[in-house]
mmCIF file of all heavy atoms in Angstrom:
data_model
loop_
_atom_site.group_PDB
_atom_site.id
_atom_site.type_symbol
_atom_site.label_atom_id
_atom_site.label_comp_id
_atom_site.label_asym_id
_atom_site.label_seq_id
_atom_site.Cartn_x
_atom_site.Cartn_y
_atom_site.Cartn_z
ATOM 1 N N VAL O 72 41.994 -65.596 -12.622
ATOM 2 C CA VAL O 72 41.941 -64.907 -11.327
ATOM 3 C C VAL O 72 41.104 -63.641 -11.481
ATOM 4 O O VAL O 72 40.953 -63.128 -12.584
ATOM 5 C CB VAL O 72 43.349 -64.521 -10.805
ATOM 6 C CG1 VAL O 72 44.138 -65.732 -10.393
ATOM 7 C CG2 VAL O 72 44.113 -63.705 -11.835
ATOM 8 N N LEU O 73 40.574 -63.154 -10.370
ATOM 9 C CA LEU O 73 39.770 -61.934 -10.421
ATOM 10 C C LEU O 73 40.667 -60.706 -10.532
ATOM 11 O O LEU O 73 41.665 -60.588 -9.829
ATOM 12 C CB LEU O 73 38.909 -61.813 -9.164
ATOM 13 C CG LEU O 73 37.709 -62.747 -9.084
ATOM 14 C CD1 LEU O 73 37.032 -62.604 -7.726
ATOM 15 C CD2 LEU O 73 36.713 -62.442 -10.205
ATOM 16 N N LEU O 74 40.291 -59.820 -11.414
ATOM 17 C CA LEU O 74 41.030 -58.570 -11.607
ATOM 18 C C LEU O 74 41.075 -57.777 -10.302
ATOM 19 O O LEU O 74 42.096 -57.205 -9.943
ATOM 20 C CB LEU O 74 40.357 -57.753 -12.713
ATOM 21 C CG LEU O 74 40.952 -56.394 -13.035
ATOM 22 C CD1 LEU O 74 42.399 -56.530 -13.485
ATOM 23 C CD2 LEU O 74 40.140 -55.693 -14.101
ATOM 24 N N ALA O 75 39.968 -57.794 -9.576
ATOM 25 C CA ALA O 75 39.874 -57.046 -8.314
ATOM 26 C C ALA O 75 40.934 -57.485 -7.304
ATOM 27 O O ALA O 75 41.363 -56.701 -6.466
ATOM 28 C CB ALA O 75 38.487 -57.200 -7.722
ATOM 29 N N ASP O 76 41.367 -58.750 -7.388
ATOM 30 C CA ASP O 76 42.391 -59.240 -6.466
ATOM 31 C C ASP O 76 43.767 -58.662 -6.772
ATOM 32 O O ASP O 76 44.659 -58.690 -5.927
ATOM 33 C CB ASP O 76 42.484 -60.775 -6.521
ATOM 34 C CG ASP O 76 41.233 -61.441 -5.981
ATOM 35 O OD1 ASP O 76 40.431 -60.736 -5.335
ATOM 36 O OD2 ASP O 76 41.049 -62.654 -6.214
ATOM 37 N N LYS O 77 43.948 -58.177 -8.002
ATOM 38 C CA LYS O 77 45.265 -57.682 -8.416
ATOM 39 C C LYS O 77 45.363 -56.163 -8.355
ATOM 40 O O LYS O 77 46.447 -55.615 -8.194
ATOM 41 C CB LYS O 77 45.574 -58.124 -9.858
ATOM 42 C CG LYS O 77 45.524 -59.627 -10.070
ATOM 43 C CD LYS O 77 46.609 -60.348 -9.303
ATOM 44 C CE LYS O 77 46.535 -61.848 -9.467
ATOM 45 N NZ LYS O 77 47.406 -62.553 -8.518
ATOM 46 N N LEU O 78 44.245 -55.490 -8.508
ATOM 47 C CA LEU O 78 44.281 -54.029 -8.533
ATOM 48 C C LEU O 78 43.628 -53.457 -7.288
ATOM 49 O O LEU O 78 42.453 -53.689 -7.038
ATOM 50 C CB LEU O 78 43.560 -53.493 -9.776
ATOM 51 C CG LEU O 78 44.207 -53.767 -11.127
ATOM 52 C CD1 LEU O 78 43.398 -53.114 -12.223
ATOM 53 C CD2 LEU O 78 45.639 -53.274 -11.178
ATOM 54 N N SER O 79 44.407 -52.704 -6.524
ATOM 55 C CA SER O 79 43.866 -52.072 -5.321
ATOM 56 C C SER O 79 43.297 -50.712 -5.713
ATOM 57 O O SER O 79 43.909 -49.690 -5.450
ATOM 58 C CB SER O 79 44.988 -51.912 -4.296
ATOM 59 O OG SER O 79 46.180 -51.497 -4.949
ATOM 60 N N MET O 80 42.162 -50.732 -6.397
ATOM 61 C CA MET O 80 41.627 -49.472 -6.907
ATOM 62 C C MET O 80 40.227 -49.187 -6.399
ATOM 63 O O MET O 80 39.437 -50.090 -6.219
ATOM 64 C CB MET O 80 41.528 -49.526 -8.438
ATOM 65 C CG MET O 80 42.851 -49.641 -9.133
ATOM 66 S SD MET O 80 42.657 -49.291 -10.889
ATOM 67 C CE MET O 80 41.240 -50.256 -11.322
ATOM 68 N N GLY O 81 39.972 -47.904 -6.243
ATOM 69 C CA GLY O 81 38.607 -47.484 -5.921
ATOM 70 C C GLY O 81 37.810 -47.434 -7.216
ATOM 71 O O GLY O 81 38.383 -47.440 -8.295
ATOM 72 N N PRO O 82 36.474 -47.344 -7.107
ATOM 73 C CA PRO O 82 35.638 -47.353 -8.310
ATOM 74 C C PRO O 82 35.948 -46.188 -9.255
ATOM 75 O O PRO O 82 35.813 -46.315 -10.464
ATOM 76 C CB PRO O 82 34.216 -47.237 -7.761
ATOM 77 C CG PRO O 82 34.322 -46.989 -6.304
ATOM 78 C CD PRO O 82 35.715 -47.282 -5.869
ATOM 79 N N ASP O 83 36.392 -45.064 -8.676
ATOM 80 C CA ASP O 83 36.666 -43.884 -9.519
ATOM 81 C C ASP O 83 37.889 -44.078 -10.411
ATOM 82 O O ASP O 83 38.058 -43.387 -11.405
ATOM 83 C CB ASP O 83 36.854 -42.643 -8.639
ATOM 84 C CG ASP O 83 37.898 -42.856 -7.552
ATOM 85 O OD1 ASP O 83 38.004 -44.007 -7.063
ATOM 86 O OD2 ASP O 83 38.602 -41.896 -7.196
ATOM 87 N N GLU O 84 38.774 -45.018 -10.074
ATOM 88 C CA GLU O 84 39.994 -45.208 -10.864
ATOM 89 C C GLU O 84 39.873 -46.372 -11.845
ATOM 90 O O GLU O 84 40.843 -46.737 -12.485
ATOM 91 C CB GLU O 84 41.178 -45.552 -9.969
ATOM 92 C CG GLU O 84 41.460 -44.602 -8.852
ATOM 93 C CD GLU O 84 42.578 -45.172 -7.984
ATOM 94 O OE1 GLU O 84 43.728 -45.050 -8.397
ATOM 95 O OE2 GLU O 84 42.278 -45.757 -6.930
ATOM 96 N N ALA O 85 38.686 -46.976 -11.895
ATOM 97 C CA ALA O 85 38.540 -48.228 -12.635
ATOM 98 C C ALA O 85 38.953 -48.108 -14.108
ATOM 99 O O ALA O 85 39.300 -49.093 -14.734
ATOM 100 C CB ALA O 85 37.112 -48.736 -12.539
ATOM 101 N N GLY O 86 38.913 -46.882 -14.650
ATOM 102 C CA GLY O 86 39.219 -46.710 -16.070
ATOM 103 C C GLY O 86 40.615 -47.118 -16.465
ATOM 104 O O GLY O 86 40.817 -48.049 -17.230
#
Side-chain angles (χ1 to χ4, degrees):
V72 290
L73 286 175
L74 178 60
D76 293 346
K77 303 294 178 192
L78 292 183
S79 41
M80 295 194 313
D83 53 327
E84 306 174 79

